[in-house]
Amino acid sequence: MEKEKLIELAKSVRKRAYVPYSNFAVGAVVVSKKGEVYTGCNVENASYGLTVCAERNAIFKAVSEGEREFSLLVVVGDTEGPCMPCGACRQVIREFGSDIKIIAANLSGESKETTIAELLPEAFDYNDLK
Ligand code: THU
């Protein structure tokens, strides 16, 4: 699926976000190396710290379907510039590869392409554990 279609898909799943506390809805799409596409939105909780971001929900859905390797993650939010993944999500994305491409976008048509290696340099990596 091409970039614009993936951004549109992230925008549509964003509408399902459960955000009664922040009112800030986020949508994400992750593409596996097999070429499968998984979506996620943020889901908040009255116990605020239990909130799960859109990116992590998309990745956890994919992993629970048997995926382990990803090529691309797209995230969309109603931000000034492109909606960048939070630090916690960067670590979770990095768990599944250092070469994963990231497309961060907003509702004004702006987008930025980067990689997880760029967003999380010198990451904590399980491959380095002795
Ligand atoms: N949020 C995401 O879904 N992804 C991010 O990368 C940043 C933050 C959500 C969490 C919370 O529901 C809302 O945005 C405000 O922080």
Side-chain angles (χ1 to χ4, degrees), residues 4-98:
E4 284 315 316
K5 283 214 167 125
L6 290 167
I7 293 174
E8 285 310 311
L9 184 59
K11 281 186 192 167
S12 65
V13 67
R14 177 183 167 274
K15 293 184 185 144
R16 299 203 186 116
Y18 175 73
V19 289
Y21 308 105
S22 74
N23 203 33
F24 182 73
V26 183
V29 171
V30 67
V31 183
S32 74
K33 286 199 174 168
K34 293 177 196 160
E36 298 295 327
V37 171
Y38 302 86
T39 59
C41 59
N42 50 335
V43 179
E44 299 187 340
N45 192 274
S47 177
Y48 301 160
L50 300 183
T51 291
V52 182
C53 294
E55 301 92 311
R56 275 178 288 152
N57 272 330
I59 289 176
F60 294 160
K61 275 171 69 178
V63 171
S64 68
E65 294 296 322
E67 301 284 4
R68 291 285 170 90
E69 294 186 314
F70 303 102
S71 51
L72 172 67
L73 181 135
V74 180
V75 55
V76 179
D78 190 12
T79 40
E80 275 302 323
C83 182
M84 302 305 293
C86 79
C89 289
R90 291 179 194 200
Q91 180 69 31
V92 169
I93 296 164
R94 180 62 176 67
E95 180 74 15
F96 299 101
S98 54

Side-chain angles (χ1 to χ4, degrees), residues 87 89-92 94 115-124:
C89 289
R90 291 179 194 200
Q91 180 69 31
V92 169
R94 180 62 176 67
T115 64
I116 192 60
E118 228 168 36
L119 294 183
L120 192 66
E122 300 189 62
F124 180 77

